[in-house]
């Protein structure tokens, strides 16, 4: 049996590079969701963390903005 799915009518096929990019993006998003799911599972099992052990949202925001500023521009 072939590893490639049968073509679906009314869809424009992607070239090999575009398909690889979409699959990479899907993997990246899946990894992010897995991290979120693990955090939620930990909260469900152990409760909320103490406020003293957290990071202020302003500090988290500023750190995130610094990371974004250092990234290469991307086109959506």
């Amino acid at each position: 049996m072939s590893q490639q799915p049968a073509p679906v009518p009314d869809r424009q096929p992607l070239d090999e590079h575009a398909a690889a990019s979409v699959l990479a993006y899907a993997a990246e998003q899946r990894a992010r969701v897995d991290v979120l799911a693990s955090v939620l599972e930990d909260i469900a099992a152990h409760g909320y963390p103490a406020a003293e052990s957290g990071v202020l949202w302003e500090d988290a925001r500023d750190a995130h903005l610094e990371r974004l500023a250092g990234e290469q521009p991307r086109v959506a």
Side-chain angles (χ1 to χ4, degrees), residues 1-2 6 9 13-15 32 34 37 40 50-52 55 58 60 62 73 76:
M1 183 179 276
S2 173
L14 298 176
D15 64 49
R32 288 181 182 180
D34 286 345
L40 295 175
E52 297 79 27
V55 176
E58 294 94 342
D62 292 344

Side-chain angles (χ1 to χ4, degrees), residues 1-75:
M1 183 179 276
S2 173
Q3 292 292 333
Q4 294 194 1
V8 178
D10 298 331
R11 291 212 179 181
Q12 180 180 359
L14 298 176
D15 64 49
E16 191 173 313
H17 178 71
S21 295
V22 170
L23 290 172
Y25 180 74
E28 180 182 307
Q29 294 304 308
R30 184 170 284 119
R32 288 181 182 180
V33 170
D34 286 345
V35 169
L36 175 60
S38 68
V39 168
L40 295 175
E41 288 168 351
D42 181 70
I43 291 171
H46 303 97
Y48 290 113
E52 297 79 27
S53 68
V55 176
L56 293 175
W57 76 268
E58 294 94 342
D59 295 338
R61 177 201 60 208
D62 292 344
H64 182 66
L65 290 174
E66 285 179 25
R67 279 192 306 273
L68 290 175
E71 288 183 4
Q72 293 290 332
R74 292 189 269 181
V75 177

